[in-house]
Amino acid sequence: MKSIIFFNHFFFTQMHKNEIKKQISTLRKDLEMHNYNYYVLSTPKISDFEYDMKLKELEKLEKENPDFFEINSPTQRVGTDSNEEFNQITHKYSMLSLGNTYNQQELLDFDSRVKKLLDDKYEYVCELKYDGVAIGLSYENGKLKHAVTRGDGVKGDDVTQNVKTIKSIPLNLQGSDYPSFFEIRGEIFMPHKVFDELNKQRETPFANPRNAASGTIKMQNSSQVAKRKLDCYLYYLLGEKLPSNYHYENLIKAKDWGFKIPTHIKKAESINQVFDYINYWNNERHNLPFDIDGIVIKVNLIEQQDILGFTSKSPRWAISYKFKAEQVATDLLSVDYQIGRTGAVTPVANLKPVLLAGTTVKRASLHNSDIIKALDIRLGDMVFVEKGGEIIPKIVGVDKEKRKNDILSLEYITNCPECSEKLIRKDGESIHYCPNHDNCPPQIKGKIEHMFSRKAMNIGGGEATVNLLFNAGFVKNIADIYELNKEQIISLEGFKEKSTNNLLRSIDESKKIEYNKVLYSLGIRYVGATIAKILCKNFKSIDGLMNASFEELIEVDEIGNKIAESIIYYFQKPNNIEIINRLKKHGLQLKDKDSSSSNVSSNKLEGLSIVISGKFHKYSRDQIKEIIEKNGAKNSSSISKKTSYLVAGEKIGPSKLQKAKKLNIKIINELDFINLISEGL
Ligand code: IVH
């Protein structure tokens, strides 16, 4: 009997352990993906808060289960912002981060550690903690040599070209008393005014100025960067022959050389003076024209900095104090689940109205089901609402002491509140989706509203008109718009002769709207206005796009796996093909105006099988394919013994080239191909 109990106990412990192992591994994978989205792609998919929650959960599990320790776990790294598109440069001095403190006690502990390690008196320098992107600038003989991002702390991206567009960064130094080689580090940021202007023009606004700055500094086109008007404060000088033995004096000197150094910098003789500085800026920060997320305290004397040294992650001579985001407590009244035009479910909390950072908040984001579960939020709870750097306020916690005993957990919905379809959730994603794209009312209305919008088909009439049309049963998809008649429209509430004619005219005029906007109007997930333009440049007609393979799609610059998958998914659905055929029938522009590559047709290439791959310049891939067909050859997507030619464009994948070489297939470039047509074989 005993042994059975033991066996059972062993068995269940083992099972429990396996569960935890799985949980840890899922969290690690998840965090790695979000890290990549944030640092490499500069397009975070979850808020900093959600990220921190996941990281904390992982930290806790790893601490409780030390046997699952892993050197490469997301908890063990400083973060990376490396981007394959940029050259990597190794930092001469590794680029570390700062330790964080969140309250007075933690700061007092820091001060005690400093005191213990130093025999002599010491003083601090207090600075603002700019909320942007860290940058290291190296200067040789007074000239800017390289600008490198932090990357993984050892190597970062060479973003010199982009950084040169920042007006406050000197390209050539003033005076002559600077060291022949030195590095200066600082923070690139986007001032509020620039951020607000930029977001007004963007279809997908940046959540905060920090994301905007990091997205901008990673852009491939530095002339675009120049338009974004970034700024930069420099706060840390490194090198062998620095002008002074004090950090503060070095910065003042750097100012003479032309650097923009922190203006609100202050020496503090004691930790109490540091607290004064913190208290002052805790309120005053709201009046700054840029974001700060805390303050930084540094030991001033460099010899003392050297004594204190570094841990593996951060200096022992400096620390940051992070401001708390403004927070209030209020009642959670109810939860709504909103369904977007792509089917994404967003849980939104309805709150008892409360004043927070100058505005009345009635609704707040509840993120997703994982967060609701982790926070254990229940209806009727007193919740904490926070307004951090992000635009939308969020719920960050529950006051459990105020909870009445009898309230039940908030069960996340399993079915769509609008159409009852069972919700789905893809592996690795935290968001639920309603997959009933063609019949779920808010998705249909959302798609039609999107089609009506100014950047799409610019049809007069917004949400209200779409609602009327939908409720009357006149439109169920975007093609129905083009089959509306006068009688139907005039029968709608509030519509008279003039408004009816206006709407009909507006619909008719939209038929002239150029192809890239029509493509955008289709509402394919991840195909925003910019991506639609890129697609149109590369696939000159909707038929070309429809027939493009996954490989062909991702060969296009800026089209990644996710966008390609979404396009393939869209065109796989017979319903969507039917809609496109109807749009074609109604005369919408579904190819580029000057897409006709050549009117020449011949049998010069008769019987040949041609594979094209890579990026082309004179013609688009679509046009080349059209030329191939018009001249009697067959387009083939994969290389085989039967392939006659491989037309290789720029950035062609190495595996295709290798295969062609192995099979002795003739490889020609775009120019050879054009010659082939004009001259014959
Ligand atoms: S000093 C070795 N000073 O905050 C220490 N950093 O969370 C070098 N930051 O990596 C950093 N304002 O990107 C320093 N006045 C300031 C700062 C500052 C913002 C950033 C910096 C750093 C991060 C740490």
Side-chain angles (χ1 to χ4, degrees):
M1 184 68 184
K2 232 181 193 169
S3 67
I4 292 174
I5 290 171
F6 172 75
F7 173 78
N8 266 349
H9 175 72
F10 173 78
F11 183 71
F12 285 120
T13 315
Q14 206 43 43
M15 215 169 80
H16 183 59
K17 278 259 159 198
N18 284 342
E19 249 335 280
I20 290 174
K21 194 171 171 192
K22 229 167 99 188
Q23 219 175 332
I24 290 181
S25 137
T26 311
L27 272 169
R28 282 179 184 156
K29 275 193 205 131
D30 215 23
L31 285 160
E32 280 300 347
M33 181 186 76
H34 290 305
N35 223 37
Y36 176 77
N37 287 339
Y38 185 101
Y39 287 105
V40 182
L41 305 180
S42 300
T43 48
K45 297 282 173 293
I46 57 173
S47 67
D48 291 2
F49 170 71
E50 285 173 276
Y51 185 88
D52 287 347
M53 291 276 297
K54 281 182 195 278
L55 192 65
K56 271 205 183 120
E57 196 182 336
L58 180 60
E59 270 167 359
K60 186 170 163 264
L61 286 171
E62 286 182 352
K63 211 170 152 196
E64 288 165 358
N65 301 279
D67 39 337
F68 296 142
F69 175 80
E70 156 76 49
I71 187 82
N72 283 337
S73 166
T75 52
Q76 303 299 311
R77 67 171 177 176
V78 201
T80 178
D81 63 2
S82 294
N83 187 316
E84 278 172 24
E85 308 280 349
F86 291 99
N87 281 334
Q88 298 278 296
I89 291 191
T90 304
H91 295 293
K92 185 156 187 227
Y93 310 96
S94 48
M95 203 160 170
L96 300 177
S97 182
L98 285 173
N100 291 325
T101 59
Y102 296 90
N103 55 47
Q104 288 211 349
Q105 187 53 52
E106 285 174 352
L107 215 51
L108 286 170
D109 294 346
F110 165 75
D111 187 44
S112 308
R113 289 197 297 272
V114 171
K115 194 179 277 164
K116 216 168 128 189
L117 289 166
L118 298 178
D119 296 329
D120 299 322
K121 255 186 91 192
Y122 54 91
E123 69 175 352
Y124 290 119
V125 176
C126 303
E127 294 165 22
L128 301 181
K129 186 171 183 313
Y130 305 100
D131 200 7
V133 187
I135 195 80
L137 308 175
S138 55
Y139 282 81
E140 217 172 81
N141 300 322
K143 290 189 186 316
L144 173 65
K145 189 150 189 257
H146 287 129
V148 186
T149 63
R150 179 178 10 233
D152 60 5
V154 178
K155 270 194 233 140
D157 289 338
D158 178 359
V159 289
T160 315
Q161 276 318 105
N162 287 348
V163 163
K164 281 186 175 170
T165 67
I166 302 175
K167 302 283 193 314
S168 55
I169 292 181
L171 304 184
N172 298 296
L173 300 184
Q174 299 164 20
S176 57
D177 56 348
Y178 41 75
S180 54
F181 178 88
F182 71 93
E183 195 175 327
I184 190 160
R185 292 192 178 154
E187 201 85 354
I188 292 175
F189 64 95
M190 186 175 280
H192 291 151
K193 223 172 125 205
V194 180
F195 172 73
D196 293 342
E197 274 304 309
L198 172 66
N199 259 1
K200 262 190 229 153
Q201 301 157 16
R202 281 178 64 86
E203 181 202 336
T204 327
F206 284 113
N208 53 45
R210 178 178 16 92
N211 289 355
S214 99
T216 303
I217 211 66
K218 295 294 184 57
M219 287 172 90
Q220 291 299 310
N221 182 340
S222 53
S223 66
Q224 292 297 321
V225 180
K227 286 188 195 147
R228 299 257 180 108
K229 297 199 181 71
L230 294 168
D231 206 341
C232 181
Y233 273 118
L234 281 317
Y235 46 60
Y236 182 30
L237 210 60
L238 289 121
E240 259 110 68
K241 291 186 189 119
L242 299 182
S244 165
N245 222 347
Y246 290 93
H247 165 69
Y248 187 92
E249 274 65 30
N250 277 332
L251 287 188
I252 302 295
K253 196 72 219 162
K255 191 177 175 190
D256 291 345
W257 301 334
F259 292 106
K260 179 163 172 162
I261 63 141
T263 33
H264 308 292
I265 182 169
K266 208 169 169 58
K267 286 187 200 171
E269 278 170 21
S270 69
I271 198 73
N272 280 336
Q273 287 184 4
V274 173
F275 290 138
D276 292 343
Y277 185 86
I278 292 176
N279 290 339
Y280 176 78
W281 283 107
N282 195 20
N283 293 323
E284 214 34 49
R285 66 183 158 129
H286 301 296
N287 298 323
L288 286 168
F290 47 79
D291 276 355
I292 61 169
D293 60 342
I295 69 138
V296 179
I297 305 134
K298 300 173 183 169
V299 169
N300 195 11
L301 185 62
I302 294 174
E303 279 161 13
Q304 289 180 328
Q305 291 185 356
D306 292 341
I307 295 172
L308 291 161
F310 291 83
T311 70
S312 64
K313 283 186 187 164
S314 50
R316 286 198 197 85
W317 47 265
I319 202 142
S320 80
Y321 174 91
K322 297 267 238 165
F323 292 130
K324 281 188 198 72
E326 286 198 54
Q327 217 183 65
V328 280
T330 188
D331 291 329
L332 171 63
L333 304 176
S334 60
V335 177
D336 289 339
Y337 295 88
Q338 291 177 346
I339 312 293
R341 77 175 152 86
T342 58
V345 182
T346 315
V348 180
N350 294 309
L351 306 166
K352 188 170 159 196
V354 64
L355 201 67
L356 174 63
T359 47
T360 306
V361 176
K362 290 184 213 139
R363 285 158 76 75
S365 166
L366 267 172
H367 318 281
N368 55 50
S369 65
D370 291 344
I371 304 274
I372 293 178
K373 213 164 159 190
L375 293 175
D376 183 25
I377 299 176
R378 306 184 189 189
L379 283 187
D381 265 339
M382 175 74 94
V383 290
F384 298 112
V385 188
E386 194 174 282
K387 214 170 191 180
E390 276 74 32
I391 296 166
I392 305 162
K394 58 203 171 208
I395 292 189
V396 293
V398 175
D399 190 347
K400 292 205 172 133
E401 283 175 15
K402 297 235 169 75
R403 176 176 286 168
K404 294 163 208 98
N405 286 332
D406 54 347
I407 52 176
L408 294 172
S409 299
L410 184 65
E411 287 297 323
Y412 202 82
I413 49 168
T414 51
N415 292 64
C416 176
E418 305 279 347
C419 72
S420 308
E421 184 81 14
K422 200 164 169 36
L423 299 179
I424 54 161
R425 183 177 164 166
K426 282 197 205 140
D427 273 357
E429 282 192 13
S430 46
I431 292 174
H432 285 75
Y433 281 92
C434 167
N436 188 11
H437 304 304
D438 301 324
N439 300 304
C440 177
Q443 294 191 55
I444 299 173
K445 285 194 272 184
K447 280 195 192 90
I448 296 172
E449 266 171 46
H450 173 71
M451 182 128 195
F452 271 39
S453 66
R454 225 155 26 98
K455 277 213 268 169
M457 302 306 273
N458 194 19
I459 298 174
E463 196 183 335
T465 308
V466 173
N467 257 326
L468 289 170
L469 289 168
F470 177 80
N471 293 342
F474 298 155
V475 286
K476 290 189 200 67
N477 59 52
I478 54 175
D480 290 344
I481 299 169
Y482 293 91
E483 282 154 28
L484 285 167
N485 60 41
K486 195 166 174 176
E487 264 164 48
Q488 287 174 318
I489 299 176
I490 213 159
S491 74
L492 298 172
E493 197 188 319
F495 272 82
K496 305 241 162 59
E497 178 79 16
K498 199 170 160 211
S499 43
T500 302
N501 287 339
N502 281 346
L503 180 56
L504 280 170
R505 191 175 334 109
S506 173
I507 293 173
D508 209 42
E509 292 209 333
S510 77
K511 293 180 186 169
K512 291 186 208 133
I513 294 226
E514 65 266 37
Y515 168 45
N516 72 70
K517 291 190 176 173
V518 182
L519 181 58
Y520 168 67
S521 300
L522 298 180
I524 304 173
R525 187 180 298 164
Y526 309 126
V527 179
T530 312
I531 296 295
K533 274 191 197 147
I534 292 168
L535 286 169
C536 290
K537 244 195 217 157
N538 288 277
F539 303 91
K540 297 277 173 180
S541 70
I542 196 92
D543 294 316
L545 183 63
M546 232 186 284
N547 294 324
S549 67
F550 180 79
E551 286 73 24
E552 285 171 331
L553 286 166
I554 56 168
E555 262 173 21
V556 176
D557 268 354
E558 318 206 30
I559 307 294
N561 290 5
K562 224 165 73 174
I563 302 176
E565 265 168 27
S566 167
I567 295 168
I568 301 273
Y569 174 76
Y570 181 89
F571 288 118
Q572 259 167 7
K573 294 186 71 182
N575 245 339
N576 291 335
I577 303 294
E578 192 213 312
I579 287 174
I580 287 164
N581 286 337
R582 281 166 65 202
L583 294 178
K584 264 187 200 165
K585 202 180 86 195
H586 291 298
L588 273 78
Q589 305 299 314
L590 284 159
K591 56 161 96 113
D592 219 34
K593 276 231 167 67
D594 47 30
S595 73
S596 183
S597 43
S598 113
N599 289 322
V600 190
S601 54
S602 75
N603 51 9
K604 278 179 184 167
L605 306 179
E606 192 151 346
L608 301 183
S609 165
I610 299 180
V611 175
I612 72 163
S613 184
K615 209 175 130 188
F616 299 96
H617 292 285
K618 182 159 171 30
Y619 294 111
S620 71
R621 306 167 56 85
D622 248 22
Q623 287 173 321
I624 295 186
K625 282 187 171 177
E626 200 184 321
I627 299 173
I628 290 173
E629 273 168 24
K630 274 191 177 160
N631 290 280
K634 208 179 96 212
N635 280 297
S636 168
S637 59
S638 60
I639 294 172
S640 71
K641 275 190 288 190
K642 287 187 192 143
T643 308
S644 326
Y645 287 96
L646 167 64
V647 188
E650 214 181 272
K651 290 191 180 167
I652 180 172
S655 62
K656 267 213 172 106
L657 269 182
Q658 256 171 23
K659 191 160 180 196
K661 278 183 192 154
K662 205 169 147 198
L663 295 174
N664 256 336
I665 310 290
K666 265 195 176 162
I667 304 170
I668 59 175
N669 63 23
E670 188 177 5
L671 200 68
D672 299 332
F673 175 75
I674 297 165
N675 289 338
L676 198 68
I677 305 296
S678 44
E679 289 163 14
L681 300 171

